[in-house]
């Protein structure tokens, strides 16, 4: 069960941040890589509120092929508050990923992990709930700091909280803003970067996450036309 109040979530996050788990190592060359994305109605302003309608999509890809996909309509559990995103969409994301018929080897999502006030953002928390290695991909860090990398595809530069490296900037395409890679549950930074590199094509966003975003937004558009 996902916590439904901030105090309980904070306790869980602190426990997850202290957890010692064995790092995942890919068992095969061509991984089944999942992506999960949640979107809300157009025009939603501010932090939102509990009960906001949401559309969640999850996909599993191998190479350039979509093996499985699922879209669910649900509701937000809370307004958005920095560091407490799990209250808003954690349960919906878990239910959506669990609805997949084809399990992913590793999951990508739009959330942080160690770059977090308590060292356990949603990218790490969701992985722990699902028992899956996870990688967060965001447009910018939450708290960590670091200079952008060089402009070549695959170039990275560290992001630190104090002296601790908690993620990295990664250039997925030359000439465009880098993304932030957050190693989540049971995954180290080097493996997370390899996963992202293996599934990023001509677009800035890794393909499983891009497809999940497209499917979620398509479901929203279909609902707008009802």
């Amino acid at each position: 069960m996902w916590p439904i109040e901030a105090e309980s979530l904070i306790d869980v996050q602190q426990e997850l941040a202290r957890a010692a788990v064995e790092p995942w190592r890919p068992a095969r060359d061509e991984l089944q890589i999942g992506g999960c994305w949640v979107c809300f109605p157009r025009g939603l302003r501010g932090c939102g509120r509990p009960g906001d309608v949401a559309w969640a999509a999850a996909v599993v890809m191998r190479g350039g092929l979509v093996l499985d996909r699922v879209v669910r309509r649900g509701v937000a559990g809370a307004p958005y508050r920095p560091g407490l995103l799990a209250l808003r969409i954690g349960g919906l994301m878990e239910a959506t990923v669990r609805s997949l018929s084809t399990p992913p080897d590793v999951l990508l999502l739009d959330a942080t992990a160690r770059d977090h006030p308590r060292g356990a953002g949603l990218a790490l928390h969701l992985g722990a709930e699902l028992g899956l290695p996870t990688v967060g991909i965001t447009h910018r860090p939450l708290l960590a700091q670091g200079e952008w990398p060089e402009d070549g595809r695959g170039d990275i530069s560290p992001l630190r909280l104090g002296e601790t490296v908690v993620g990295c900037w990664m250039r997925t395409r030359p000439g465009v803003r880098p993304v932030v890679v957050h190693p989540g549950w049971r995954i180290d930074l080097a493996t997370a970067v390899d996963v992202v590199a293996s599934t990023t094509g001509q677009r800035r966003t890794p393909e499983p996450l891009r497809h999940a975003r497209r499917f979620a937004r398509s479901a929203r558009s279909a609902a707008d036309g009802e």
Side-chain angles (χ1 to χ4, degrees):
M1 294 291 292
W2 289 81
I4 60 173
E5 57 185 21
E7 292 77 9
S8 298
L9 175 59
I10 288 169
D11 289 343
V12 171
Q13 290 171 339
Q14 291 171 337
E15 182 178 348
L16 287 171
R18 295 190 297 265
V21 294
E22 183 179 355
W24 168 74
R25 292 291 179 263
R28 50 184 169 183
D29 292 334
E30 195 168 33
L31 296 172
Q32 294 179 176
I33 302 178
C36 188
W37 187 277
V38 176
C39 67
F40 290 93
R42 294 181 180 89
L44 197 66
R45 296 183 181 276
C47 297
R49 59 182 186 271
D52 286 336
V53 176
W55 293 266
V59 304
V60 179
M61 298 184 68
R62 186 171 59 230
L65 178 66
V66 175
L67 301 179
D68 193 10
R69 67 173 183 174
V70 64
V71 179
R72 293 175 66 103
R73 179 170 173 161
V75 297
Y80 170 72
R81 291 171 58 190
L84 299 172
L85 181 61
L87 292 177
R88 185 159 174 80
I89 60 173
L92 177 58
M93 295 189 88
E94 180 186 5
T96 305
V97 175
R98 288 192 185 280
S99 296
L100 290 163
S101 299
T102 304
D105 296 310
V106 58
L107 180 71
L108 309 182
L109 65 151
D110 176 25
T112 71
R114 299 291 181 183
D115 176 20
H116 182 271
R118 288 163 295 279
L122 180 56
L124 188 147
H125 191 165
L126 182 63
E129 293 292 333
L130 291 168
L132 278 176
T134 47
V135 180
I137 305 292
T138 61
H139 295 303
R140 58 186 60 84
L142 182 60
L143 300 173
Q145 297 183 342
E147 299 295 324
W148 279 13
E150 298 298 322
D151 197 35
R153 176 182 167 88
D155 285 341
I156 63 173
S157 57
L159 283 162
R160 292 183 169 88
L161 279 177
E163 298 301 316
T164 303
V165 175
V166 294
C168 70
W169 288 109
M170 180 175 181
R171 192 81 68 172
T172 53
R173 285 184 60 198
V176 300
R177 182 185 176 92
V179 299
V180 179
V181 176
H182 303 268
W185 185 248
R186 291 194 59 212
I187 195 164
D188 59 29
L189 183 57
T191 306
V193 167
D194 286 346
V195 168
V196 174
S198 73
T199 190
T200 304
Q202 299 302 311
R203 309 294 182 93
R204 175 172 176 258
T205 304
E207 289 299 297
L209 205 54
R210 191 177 71 83
H211 280 276
R213 181 178 63 194
R214 179 167 61 88
F215 292 139
R217 290 175 174 175
S218 294
R220 178 181 63 187
S221 295
D224 289 344
E226 291 176 354

